[in-house]
Amino acid sequence: MCGIIGYIGKKQAYPIIINGLKKLEYRGYDSYGICILNNDNVFLKKKVGRISNENGENLRDGNLGIGHSRWATTGGVCEKNAHPHEYNGFYVVHNGIVENYKELKEDLIKKGHKFNSDTDTEVIAHLISEEFKDNLEDAVRKALKKIIGSYGVAIVSPKDKDKIVIAKMSSPIIIGICKDGHIVASDPSAVIDFTKQIVTLDDGEIAVLKKDGYMILKEKKIEIIDWESDAVSKGEYEHFMLKEIMEEPNVIENATQGRLLEDNVKLGGLETSKERLEKTNKIYLVGCGTGYHAAKTGEYLMEEIAGIDAEAHMASEIRYRNVRLGPNYAAIFVSQSGETADNLACLKRMKEVGVLPLGVTNVIGSTQTRETEGGVYTRCGPEIAVASTKAFIGQLTVLTMISIFLGRQRNLSKERAKEIISELKELPRKGSLILDNHKQIQELAKKYSQFKNFWFIGRKFNYPIAMEGALKLKEISYVHAEGTPGGELKHGPLALIDENCPTIAICTKDSVYDKMISNIEEVKARNGKVIAIATEGDGKIKDIVDDVIYIPETLECLTPLLSTIPLHLFAYYFALSLNRDIDKPRNLAKSVTVE
Ligand code: F6R
C-alpha cells in the first residue's frame, strides 16, 4: 500500500527516485509524485497513472529528493491527492493511515490552515509547519506525537536543507547505504540496484539522512540483501507473474536446501523455540488471502504429519474473536511481505497473551520477522507481481518442513519422515515437468476464456488449493470464481452449475479420489463442463471430464505443491487471453499495510 523513496547524496536524485518508484509500483499504482530540492529551488511533479509510463526524461538537477507511488485510501485518485503533499515549504510522502486526521484537520482549519487535498497525509505537513522552529527532525518528532495510526514517512524542506527526515510506525522503512549517499525506501527492491547494505527502522524511530551519514536514535545492525538485482527484473518474460510461476520448482529447491536431514529437518529459526514447541498443545496458523490458503493447507499438514491440533484463521477475523489463547499455544503467521497489517495486529495480540509467535515469511527484515520469536524464511527472492504465486509454493514447502519438525518431536516415525523428505527432494523435478506442459494449459485457458463464472473443487489437502486457484483467477481476470470442498457442492453451489459455469476439479489419486469422482459426476449430470487436475496415468478420468491436466504422482500430503502449479498457470494464461493488466490488477496492491 503505497511506496516511498528518497535519495540524498552526490548523484542526481531524479533518476534514482524514478528507478525506485518503478520498483515500488507494485505497492500502489493510482498515482505518483516526485519532489527534488536544489538549494532553494523546488521541483514538484504529481501525476495520475503509472510510473512505468514515465520515461525518466526531463532530468531535474538536484542531489536530494523524495517520491511516492500511491494506493488510494483517504481521498480519490486525482492529482491533488497524489503525494508529496506540501504545506508552507514542508514536503511529505507517506505510507499508512492517519486515523485521527479529521479531528486534526478541523483544529488546523480553525487556526487558519488551508488544505489542498482530501488526504489524511496532508495534515502531517501542516502539523510539521506548526511545530517548526529551526530543526526539521524536532518538528517531525513533535508532529508525529499527535498522530494516531500508521506511517512510513519521508520529509524534506528548503527551510532545513540537506537532509531527509524519515520515521516509521507500523509501515516499513529501510535505509540503503550507498557509497555516494543514502536511499530511503519502503522495501529493499528499490535500493538493490545501488546497494546491498540496508538498515531497517523499528516502530517509533526517526532518522535523519544526510549526504555523508545517517543518524538514528540508536545503533542499528546492517543487514545484507541476499538476492541479486536481476531478481527484480522480468528477464525474458512478458510478466513478472509468469516469471514467478516458472520459478516455482526452484523455490521448492531453495526452501529445502540445507534443511533436509535423513529423517528430520534442520530449521535454524525454530531452534530457540524448540522446548516450547515440544509442550505446545495447539497451533494457530494465520494469514490473509493466499497466505491464508497456505495456512489452511498447513492445518491439514500439521494434523496429518505432526499429529498436533492445528487451526487456520484469516488474520482479519481471528484478531476480533475470543478464541482460547495462552502459553501452551503457538501461532504461525504466514506472509510473503511480512508487513500485512491484519497479521501484525493479530501477532501483537497473541504476544500479549503469551502465545509463542512464529513466522513463515519471505521478506528479510520485515516487521513480521522482527516481531516474532522465531520462524522460517521461504527464500523465494523478491515477488513483484501483485498476485502471489511462488511465495505460496515457498510457504507450502516451509509448512511441510515445520510439520516434519513438530512431528519428530511427537509421534512421527523415522520411516515416515524419511519417506516425506525423500519425496520432497523429487518435487522440483516433478514441478518442472508440469511447467513443460504450459502450452496445453495456455490452450485450455484460451478455450475457456469466454466463461464468466468458475467453480473450483478439491477435498482434504486440495481444498485450500481450490480456493487458491479461484482467488488467482478472479483477482487477475476479473471473472467470478469460487473454491469450495467437493463435498459441499450438493449443499448449495450445485444450484449454480450449468453449461455456463465450468468446474475445475483437483482429482488426484489419493484417499479422497473416489469421493471427488462422485462430485465430478454430480457436476456432469447438471451439464457442467469439468477440467480435472489428475494424476499422470489416470486413464479413467479422461472419459468422465471434458479436459484433463495431468500432474506427476506424489505423496498425498505433498500434492498441493504440484496441483497448485497448473492452477497458477491457468489463471495467468486466462488473464492473458483477456488482455488484463496481469502484474498490477485493478484495485489491489501487493503489501496490504492498512486494515
Ligand atoms: C493473492 C495475494 C494476496 C496476499 C495477501 C497477503 O494473490 O497476493 O491475497 O496473499 O494480501 O499478503 P502477504 O503474504 O504479504 O501477507
Side-chain angles (χ1 to χ4, degrees):
M1 306 267 119
C2 300
I4 71 173
I5 176 92
Y7 173 78
I8 178 162
K10 292 184 187 142
K11 288 189 174 165
Q12 291 290 347
Y14 191 79
I16 295 175
I17 290 170
I18 295 273
N19 175 71
L21 285 180
K22 287 186 176 170
K23 300 280 170 56
L24 292 172
E25 194 182 18
Y26 73 88
R27 298 178 67 89
Y29 33 87
D30 293 334
S31 59
Y32 64 93
I34 302 161
C35 167
I36 303 288
L37 255 58
N38 190 357
N39 294 317
D40 288 331
N41 298 323
V42 181
F43 163 74
L44 182 66
K45 170 177 184 165
K46 298 184 186 204
K47 256 186 132 166
V48 171
R50 298 182 169 197
I51 184 76
S52 35
N53 302 330
E54 173 78 46
N55 55 18
E57 280 169 9
N58 310 320
L59 173 81
R60 296 292 156 155
D61 262 348
N63 311 110
L64 162 58
I66 52 176
H68 187 270
S69 59
R70 179 168 190 247
W71 186 82
T73 48
T74 310
V77 179
C78 55
E79 206 169 294
K80 71 170 181 181
N81 289 338
H83 300 215
H85 288 288
E86 183 263 347
Y87 182 74
N88 194 23
F90 298 97
Y91 294 81
V92 179
V93 288
H94 169 222
N95 168 30
I97 292 191
V98 180
E99 287 167 12
N100 57 337
Y101 87 99
K102 282 198 178 129
E103 298 88 303
L104 293 168
K105 193 168 172 176
E106 273 167 28
D107 286 350
L108 289 159
I109 289 172
K110 278 183 203 149
K111 286 183 184 158
H113 286 243
K114 292 217 166 23
F115 280 77
N116 296 312
S117 76
D118 313 316
T119 64
D120 53 339
T121 301
E122 196 186 339
V123 298
I124 302 177
H126 289 251
L127 290 172
I128 293 170
S129 163
E130 281 280 299
E131 299 292 348
F132 185 77
K133 293 205 170 61
D134 53 8
N135 178 284
L136 186 58
E137 55 271 31
D138 281 352
V140 170
R141 182 176 299 113
K142 286 177 186 154
L144 292 178
K145 279 202 177 124
K146 300 191 171 152
I147 280 175
I148 300 172
S150 57
Y151 51 80
V153 279
I155 301 118
V156 293
S157 173
K159 297 187 177 184
D160 190 4
K161 290 178 209 162
D162 302 327
K163 61 171 74 159
I164 304 178
V165 176
I166 60 176
K168 168 182 160 35
M169 182 62 75
S170 308
S171 294
I173 288 268
I174 60 130
I175 303 169
I177 303 162
C178 311
K179 282 199 194 92
D180 47 55
H182 294 92
I183 304 178
V184 52
S186 298
D187 80 41
S189 65
V191 306
I192 185 78
D193 285 343
F194 305 99
T195 181
K196 286 193 163 193
Q197 294 194 334
I198 58 165
V199 168
T200 309
L201 280 205
D202 283 327
D203 276 352
E205 285 183 341
I206 295 183
V208 182
L209 306 189
K210 296 201 169 174
K211 253 190 196 121
D212 46 6
Y214 67 94
M215 189 183 72
I216 311 181
L217 290 184
K218 60 182 190 211
E219 190 68 18
K220 305 281 293 183
K221 188 174 132 223
I222 294 179
E223 294 170 278
I224 306 295
I225 307 171
D226 69 349
W227 29 270
E228 299 302 322
S229 138
D230 61 4
V232 270
S233 83
K234 278 190 276 207
E236 67 195 84
Y237 295 98
E238 196 179 340
H239 295 99
F240 277 109
M241 183 173 173
L242 183 60
K243 175 179 181 242
E244 288 159 7
I245 298 171
M246 290 299 177
E247 285 168 6
E248 288 181 345
N250 220 11
V251 162
I252 305 176
E253 187 146 7
N254 284 346
T256 50
Q257 199 148 47
R259 288 169 166 171
L260 300 180
L261 308 174
E262 202 190 335
D263 54 23
N264 206 338
V265 293
K266 194 167 150 245
L267 301 172
L270 296 187
E271 273 309 305
T272 51
S273 318
K274 217 171 170 173
E275 279 163 27
R276 272 195 77 183
L277 281 170
E278 237 159 25
K279 295 182 198 126
T280 294
N281 294 337
K282 183 170 180 174
I283 311 261
Y284 286 108
L285 293 130
V286 183
C288 299
T290 286
Y292 167 71
H293 299 153
K296 189 77 187 161
T297 318
E299 172 187 305
Y300 287 73
L301 287 167
M302 284 184 189
E303 279 168 7
E304 175 106 356
I305 301 176
I308 187 168
D309 275 351
E311 241 177 62
H313 290 269
M314 293 171 195
S316 56
E317 279 298 307
I318 191 176
R319 55 180 291 207
Y320 297 111
R321 287 177 55 183
N322 284 320
V323 291
R324 277 205 296 152
L325 300 169
N328 290 340
Y329 297 77
I332 301 180
F333 293 86
V334 184
S335 175
Q336 189 285 127
S337 62
E339 300 293 349
T340 299
D342 282 314
N343 277 357
L344 296 177
C346 181
L347 166 52
K348 191 165 172 241
R349 182 179 158 218
M350 296 263 187
K351 265 171 93 167
E352 278 162 12
V353 293
V355 173
L356 171 65
L358 301 170
V360 171
T361 320
N362 192 38
V363 177
I364 295 166
S366 54
T367 309
Q368 180 167 291
T369 61
R370 282 175 293 117
E371 292 298 317
T372 41
E373 270 173 43
V376 185
Y377 279 119
T378 49
R379 299 181 181 160
C380 301
E383 189 181 65
I384 306 298
V386 164
S388 191
T389 53
K390 65 173 178 174
F392 180 67
I393 295 292
Q395 290 159 354
L396 296 184
T397 311
V398 166
L399 288 167
T400 306
M401 290 190 290
I402 296 178
S403 303
I404 297 172
F405 178 90
L406 294 170
R408 293 295 291 125
Q409 287 186 322
R410 293 168 175 76
N411 294 325
L412 178 68
S413 69
K414 281 188 178 179
E415 289 65 38
R416 178 72 177 142
K418 251 188 207 171
E419 188 189 17
I420 301 170
I421 288 166
S422 71
E423 183 58 16
L424 259 178
K425 291 182 186 158
E426 290 298 313
L427 290 190
R429 183 183 60 78
K430 292 186 176 177
S432 298
L433 292 175
I434 303 172
L435 293 177
D436 290 346
N437 188 29
H438 68 276
K439 284 251 153 58
Q440 186 222 347
I441 300 171
Q442 180 165 17
E443 274 158 29
L444 272 182
K446 208 166 162 200
K447 174 174 162 189
Y448 284 84
S449 62
Q450 82 278 18
F451 290 97
K452 303 269 183 298
N453 290 294
F454 282 83
W455 219 267
F456 286 69
I457 53 171
R459 297 180 84 125
K460 219 173 152 185
F461 291 104
N462 281 314
Y463 155 48
I465 308 310
M467 292 198 286
E468 168 63 9
L471 175 65
K472 219 83 322 170
L473 187 64
K474 71 182 128 189
E475 74 178 311
I476 58 167
S477 296
Y478 321 146
V479 300
H480 171 242
E482 282 189 53
T484 55
E488 281 294 298
L489 269 185
K490 54 189 171 299
H491 299 292
L494 216 43
L496 292 173
I497 301 294
D498 61 13
E499 65 281 8
N500 296 318
C501 179
T503 296
I504 300 192
I506 310 167
C507 184
T508 44
K509 281 275 187 181
D510 54 31
S511 65
V512 285
Y513 177 76
D514 292 336
K515 302 287 165 203
M516 276 301 300
I517 293 286
S518 306
N519 298 142
I520 289 172
E521 273 161 354
E522 287 159 11
V523 173
K524 289 306 303 169
R526 272 92 191 162
N527 295 325
K529 296 192 176 3
V530 177
I531 307 172
I533 309 293
T535 308
E536 199 70 68
D538 180 1
K540 172 181 155 189
I541 202 159
K542 268 205 303 234
D543 303 330
I544 312 173
V545 301
D546 298 86
D547 290 288
V548 190
I549 301 169
Y550 283 111
I551 61 171
E553 190 176 4
T554 186
L555 297 177
E556 179 170 9
C557 63
L558 299 182
T559 322
L561 281 160
L562 297 183
S563 57
T564 301
I565 301 176
L567 297 184
H568 282 170
L569 278 176
F570 184 84
Y572 171 77
Y573 286 123
F574 194 95
L576 189 70
S577 62
L578 297 184
N579 208 14
R580 301 292 193 228
D581 193 351
I582 295 182
D583 283 340
K584 299 186 186 84
R586 69 186 182 198
N587 305 340
L588 300 177
K590 181 89 184 144
S591 267
V592 187
T593 54
V594 293
E595 291 170 29

